[in-house]
Amino acid sequence: TWGGFYVVGAYKMSDSAESPTETQKEEIHPPPDDSATNDDKKKIDVLLKAVGDTPIMKTKKWAVDKGRTVQSLAQFISRFLKLDATEQLFIYVNQSFAPSPDQEVGVLFDCFGSDGKLVLHYCKSQAWG
Amino acid sequence: MSCGVLDEEEFSRCCQLLLHHSDSVGDGWSWEAVQSSDEGYLKKTVLRSVPADQSITQKHKESGSDSEQFDYCRFKTEEQGVNGSADSLRPDVEDEDDCVCRAPGGSSCSSVLQFEYHVLYSCSYRTPVLYFRASTLGRSLTLEDVWNSVHPNYRLGLQSRPLDAITQQEHPFLGQAFFFLHPCRTEEFMKPLLQMTWDQNRPVNYVLSWLSVVGPMVGLDVSLDYVTLQQPTV
């Protein structure tokens, strides 16, 4: 059989992401008790639910920018859960369907949101191979 | 369905539901029957513009002595050694005349590629399997083109053990060389999802759920409107 792919350098999934304690603070944060600061036009409420034996996040409800991508959210959750590089995180809407990594959460909210929030299930798995 | 796998009959049922939706929205999936039997596979052809990744070319040129040889690569069917550290392919000298010519300095432009995706059933793994191949309109294909179609989200995982992930495989029905995404991980990532939906009495379309996960890994987008798909009756 044919040999396979060549690998260039070390592509890090988290290359483009900041640490959760820095700029992400602005974009993702637990909704405050006083919900007036949640700008309805720019952020949506996301409820994260773990699947299988994936660790449960201490904070499950997050206000997320509508334009944030699924991939970005997956990276955030991975870092939050301290998953290592060999672990892959999958995100599902409607408990059954993995949206494209480039999909914006705002679009998912429009399609699948109910009771003012978008429920997303997340599940970790060993990366391929 | 149970334990992260499905039988062939259910595979066919899931595919027919998927096809029904595809027909209604013009998404382009078709069913290729095998010898007029119930057996068959899903097929879809997509045209995509893929920019050649200049940074990959230049990075590789700096990385070592193998790099000068590696301005191109070919889909190959014979055994080829893999460099343990760099995982680079050695060029096929006999095909030099047919090789891709890159302009000096690694400049590159986008090209239009035709991707063909086939969803088959694997009896040994009892899961669907995704086969795909790409051909070009106008110039020789490089491995990088296919690699660039893999979403960055998944590249690290796929890169770390490429031999176990995307490999070249003979299509079981067509006998032609395709790439395929190895099914060894399918049961593992499908199992928790199926368990959860089973526990909540919300059976899913296995093929659709699986495809939504693996499709983006190889550049295949599965539209959100498939979520409205009816579940197969158990």
Side-chain angles (χ1 to χ4, degrees), chain A residues 1-15 49-54 70-72 74-75 84-86 88-104 107-108 111-112 121 123-129, chain B residues 56 59-60 70 74 76 78-80 82 86-89 143-144 147 151-154 156-159 161-166 168 179 181-182 185 188-189 192-193 196-197 200 202 204 208-209 212-214 216-217 221-224 226-227:
Chain A
T1 54
W2 176 69
F5 279 53
Y6 81 93
V7 173
V8 177
Y11 180 89
K12 297 197 296 185
M13 281 171 74
S14 58
D15 252 354
K49 293 191 170 182
V51 178
D53 57 5
T54 307
V70 168
Q71 175 184 2
S72 167
Q75 286 174 350
D84 61 54
T86 65
Q88 177 83 53
L89 192 83
F90 298 119
I91 289 184
Y92 299 98
V93 291
N94 207 39
Q95 287 185 249
S96 61
F97 185 91
S100 160
D102 294 331
Q103 189 63 264
E104 294 181 358
V107 174
L108 297 181
C111 295
F112 305 106
H121 286 78
C123 188
K124 72 166 181 158
S125 176
Q126 281 303 301
W128 228 265
Chain B
I56 284 183
K59 249 190 205 172
H60 199 67
F70 200 71
R74 308 284 296 151
K76 304 182 60 57
E78 66 258 25
E79 191 83 28
Q80 189 156 46
V82 174
D87 273 347
S88 61
L89 292 178
L143 181 59
E144 288 166 67
W147 189 240
H151 197 281
N153 204 35
Y154 301 105
L156 181 63
L158 291 170
Q159 277 176 348
R161 292 283 296 277
L163 292 180
D164 292 340
I166 297 178
Q168 199 165 34
F179 286 101
L181 193 57
H182 205 284
R185 289 280 168 215
E188 188 201 332
F189 77 77
L193 184 71
M196 170 181 68
T197 54
Q200 300 186 14
R202 291 189 51 173
V204 301
L208 176 63
S209 294
S212 73
V213 172
V214 302
M217 293 182 179
D221 190 43
V222 183
S223 162
L224 277 181
Y226 276 92
V227 180

Side-chain angles (χ1 to χ4, degrees), chain B residues 163-176:
Chain B
L163 292 180
D164 292 340
I166 297 178
T167 58
Q168 199 165 34
Q169 185 84 358
E170 183 178 300
H171 193 289
F173 300 125
L174 302 178
Q176 297 164 12

Side-chain angles (χ1 to χ4, degrees), chain B residues 113-124:
Chain B
L113 298 176
Q114 175 175 285
F115 282 81
E116 207 176 317
Y117 298 97
H118 294 195
V119 175
L120 276 67
Y121 179 74
S122 164
C123 295
S124 47

Side-chain angles (χ1 to χ4, degrees), chain B residues 47-218:
Chain B
L47 286 178
R48 182 176 302 124
S49 173
V50 177
D53 191 334
Q54 186 171 357
S55 64
I56 284 183
T57 307
Q58 288 181 338
K59 249 190 205 172
H60 199 67
K61 280 190 147 77
E62 293 159 7
S63 67
S65 60
D66 278 343
S67 58
E68 281 93 33
Q69 295 176 355
F70 200 71
D71 281 343
Y72 59 89
C73 58
R74 308 284 296 151
F75 292 165
K76 304 182 60 57
T77 51
E78 66 258 25
E79 191 83 28
Q80 189 156 46
V82 174
N83 182 320
S85 56
D87 273 347
S88 61
L89 292 178
R90 294 182 26 235
D92 180 358
V93 176
E94 294 150 18
D95 285 347
E96 231 167 27
D97 290 340
D98 296 335
C99 75
V100 175
C101 297
R102 288 192 179 276
S107 70
S108 53
C109 57
S110 67
S111 58
V112 175
L113 298 176
Q114 175 175 285
F115 282 81
E116 207 176 317
Y117 298 97
H118 294 195
V119 175
L120 276 67
Y121 179 74
S122 164
C123 295
S124 47
Y125 285 92
R126 297 176 64 210
T127 65
V129 185
L130 185 61
Y131 285 74
F132 66 102
R133 65 179 170 185
S135 57
T136 185
L137 307 174
R139 74 163 175 84
S140 299
L141 194 67
T142 71
L143 181 59
E144 288 166 67
D145 294 324
V146 177
W147 189 240
N148 282 336
S149 74
V150 175
H151 197 281
N153 204 35
Y154 301 105
R155 272 186 207 161
L156 181 63
L158 291 170
Q159 277 176 348
S160 61
R161 292 283 296 277
L163 292 180
D164 292 340
I166 297 178
T167 58
Q168 199 165 34
Q169 185 84 358
E170 183 178 300
H171 193 289
F173 300 125
L174 302 178
Q176 297 164 12
F178 274 69
F179 286 101
F180 92 143
L181 193 57
H182 205 284
C184 60
R185 289 280 168 215
T186 299
E187 180 180 357
E188 188 201 332
F189 77 77
M190 287 300 292
K191 192 170 175 180
L193 184 71
L194 293 169
Q195 187 65 55
M196 170 181 68
T197 54
W198 181 264
D199 288 345
Q200 300 186 14
N201 206 27
R202 291 189 51 173
V204 301
N205 183 315
Y206 186 116
V207 175
L208 176 63
S209 294
W210 163 84
L211 192 62
S212 73
V213 172
V214 302
M217 293 182 179
V218 295

